[in-house]
Coordinates of all heavy atoms in Angstrom, one line a residue:
D226 N -66.9 -37.5 -9.6 CA -67.9 -38.1 -8.6 C -68.3 -37.0 -7.6 O -68.7 -37.4 -6.5 CB -67.4 -39.3 -7.9 CG -67.2 -40.5 -8.9 OD1 -68.0 -40.6 -9.8 OD2 -66.3 -41.2 -8.8
W227 N -68.2 -35.8 -7.9 CA -68.7 -34.7 -7.0 C -70.2 -34.7 -7.0 O -70.8 -35.0 -8.0 CB -68.1 -33.4 -7.4 CG -66.8 -33.0 -6.9 CD1 -65.8 -33.9 -6.5 CD2 -66.2 -31.7 -6.8 NE1 -64.7 -33.2 -6.1 CE2 -64.9 -31.8 -6.3 CE3 -66.7 -30.4 -7.2 CZ2 -64.1 -30.8 -6.1 CZ3 -65.9 -29.4 -7.0 CH2 -64.6 -29.5 -6.4
D228 N -70.7 -34.3 -5.9 CA -72.2 -34.1 -5.9 C -72.5 -33.0 -6.9 O -71.8 -32.0 -7.1 CB -72.5 -33.6 -4.5 CG -74.0 -33.1 -4.3 OD1 -74.8 -34.0 -4.0 OD2 -74.2 -32.0 -4.6
E229 N -73.6 -33.2 -7.6 CA -73.9 -32.3 -8.8 C -74.1 -30.9 -8.3 O -73.7 -29.9 -9.0 CB -75.1 -32.8 -9.5 CG -74.8 -34.1 -10.3 CD -76.0 -34.5 -11.2 OE1 -77.0 -33.8 -11.1 OE2 -75.9 -35.5 -11.9
A230 N -74.8 -30.7 -7.2 CA -75.0 -29.3 -6.7 C -73.6 -28.6 -6.5 O -73.4 -27.5 -6.8 CB -75.8 -29.3 -5.5
K231 N -72.7 -29.4 -5.8 CA -71.4 -28.8 -5.6 C -70.6 -28.5 -6.8 O -70.0 -27.5 -7.0 CB -70.6 -29.7 -4.7 CG -69.3 -29.2 -4.2 CD -68.6 -30.1 -3.2 CE -67.3 -29.5 -2.7 NZ -66.6 -30.4 -1.7
M232 N -70.8 -29.4 -7.8 CA -70.1 -29.2 -9.1 C -70.7 -28.0 -9.8 O -69.9 -27.1 -10.4 CB -70.3 -30.4 -10.0 CG -69.4 -30.4 -11.2 SD -67.7 -30.4 -10.8 CE -67.0 -29.4 -12.0
A233 N -72.0 -27.8 -9.7 CA -72.6 -26.6 -10.3 C -72.1 -25.3 -9.7 O -71.8 -24.3 -10.4 CB -74.1 -26.7 -10.2
L234 N -72.0 -25.3 -8.4 CA -71.4 -24.1 -7.7 C -70.0 -23.9 -8.1 O -69.6 -22.7 -8.3 CB -71.5 -24.4 -6.2 CG -72.9 -24.3 -5.6 CD1 -72.9 -24.8 -4.1 CD2 -73.5 -22.9 -5.6
E235 N -69.2 -24.9 -8.2 CA -67.8 -24.7 -8.6 C -67.7 -24.1 -10.0 O -66.9 -23.2 -10.2 CB -67.1 -26.1 -8.6 CG -65.6 -26.0 -9.0 CD -64.7 -25.5 -7.9 OE1 -65.2 -25.3 -6.7 OE2 -63.5 -25.2 -8.2
I236 N -68.5 -24.6 -10.9 CA -68.4 -24.0 -12.3 C -68.9 -22.6 -12.3 O -68.3 -21.7 -12.9 CB -69.3 -24.9 -13.2 CG1 -68.5 -26.3 -13.5 CG2 -69.6 -24.2 -14.6 CD1 -69.3 -27.2 -14.4
L237 N -70.0 -22.3 -11.7 CA -70.6 -21.0 -11.7 C -69.6 -20.0 -11.0 O -69.5 -18.8 -11.4 CB -71.9 -21.0 -11.0 CG -73.1 -21.7 -11.7 CD1 -74.3 -21.8 -10.8 CD2 -73.4 -21.0 -13.0
W238 N -68.9 -20.5 -10.0 CA -67.8 -19.7 -9.3 C -66.7 -19.4 -10.3 O -66.3 -18.2 -10.4 CB -67.3 -20.4 -8.1 CG -66.2 -19.8 -7.4 CD1 -66.1 -18.5 -6.9 CD2 -64.9 -20.4 -7.2 NE1 -64.9 -18.3 -6.3 CE2 -64.1 -19.4 -6.5 CE3 -64.3 -21.6 -7.5 CZ2 -62.8 -19.7 -6.1 CZ3 -63.0 -21.9 -7.1 CH2 -62.3 -20.9 -6.4
R239 N -66.2 -20.4 -11.0 CA -65.1 -20.2 -11.9 C -65.5 -19.2 -13.1 O -64.6 -18.5 -13.6 CB -64.6 -21.5 -12.4 CG -63.8 -22.2 -11.4 CD -63.3 -23.6 -11.8 NE -62.5 -24.2 -10.8 CZ -61.2 -24.2 -10.6 NH1 -60.5 -23.5 -11.5 NH2 -60.6 -24.8 -9.6
I240 N -66.7 -19.2 -13.5 CA -67.1 -18.4 -14.6 C -67.6 -17.0 -14.2 O -68.0 -16.2 -14.9 CB -68.1 -19.0 -15.6 CG1 -69.4 -19.3 -14.9 CG2 -67.5 -20.3 -16.2 CD1 -70.5 -19.8 -15.8
G241 N -67.6 -16.8 -12.8 CA -67.8 -15.5 -12.3 C -69.3 -15.2 -12.0 O -69.6 -14.0 -11.6
E242 N -70.2 -16.1 -12.2 CA -71.6 -15.9 -11.8 C -71.9 -15.9 -10.4 O -72.8 -15.3 -9.9 CB -72.5 -16.8 -12.6 CG -72.6 -16.6 -14.1 CD -73.6 -17.5 -14.8 OE1 -74.7 -17.7 -14.1 OE2 -73.4 -17.9 -15.9
V243 N -71.1 -16.7 -9.7 CA -71.2 -17.0 -8.2 C -69.9 -16.6 -7.5 O -68.8 -16.7 -8.1 CB -71.6 -18.5 -8.0 CG1 -71.3 -18.9 -6.6 CG2 -73.0 -18.7 -8.4
A244 N -70.0 -16.1 -6.3 CA -68.8 -15.8 -5.5 C -69.0 -16.5 -4.2 O -70.1 -16.9 -3.7 CB -68.7 -14.3 -5.3
V245 N -67.8 -16.8 -3.6 CA -67.8 -17.4 -2.2 C -68.1 -16.3 -1.2 O -67.4 -15.3 -1.2 CB -66.4 -18.0 -1.9 CG1 -66.4 -18.5 -0.5 CG2 -66.1 -19.1 -2.9
S246 N -69.2 -16.5 -0.5 CA -69.7 -15.4 0.4 C -69.1 -15.6 1.8 O -69.3 -14.7 2.7 CB -71.2 -15.4 0.5 OG -71.7 -16.7 1.0
G247 N -68.4 -16.7 2.1 CA -67.8 -16.9 3.4 C -67.5 -18.4 3.5 O -67.8 -19.2 2.6
R248 N -66.8 -18.8 4.6 CA -66.5 -20.2 4.8 C -66.4 -20.4 6.3 O -66.0 -19.5 7.1 CB -65.3 -20.7 4.0 CG -64.0 -20.0 4.4 CD -62.8 -20.9 4.0 NE -62.7 -21.0 2.5 CZ -62.3 -22.1 1.9 NH1 -62.1 -23.2 2.6 NH2 -62.2 -22.2 0.6
R249 N -66.6 -21.7 6.7 CA -66.3 -22.1 8.0 C -65.4 -23.3 7.8 O -65.9 -24.4 7.4 CB -67.6 -22.5 8.8 CG -67.3 -23.1 10.2 CD -68.6 -23.2 11.0 NE -69.2 -21.9 11.3 CZ -70.3 -21.8 12.0 NH1 -70.9 -22.8 12.5 NH2 -70.8 -20.6 12.3
G250 N -64.2 -23.2 8.2 CA -63.2 -24.2 8.0 C -63.0 -24.4 6.5 O -62.6 -23.5 5.8
F251 N -63.4 -25.6 6.0 CA -63.3 -25.8 4.6 C -64.6 -26.0 3.9 O -64.7 -26.5 2.8 CB -62.4 -27.0 4.3 CG -61.0 -26.6 3.7 CD1 -60.1 -26.0 4.6 CD2 -60.8 -26.7 2.4 CE1 -58.9 -25.5 4.1 CE2 -59.6 -26.2 1.9 CZ -58.6 -25.7 2.7

């Protein structure tokens, strides 16, 4: 039940197409 955009980011991050560029808190 994750928001689809967030799920897409998570998948793209795990397969290495996307990286975390920073965070504020969580």
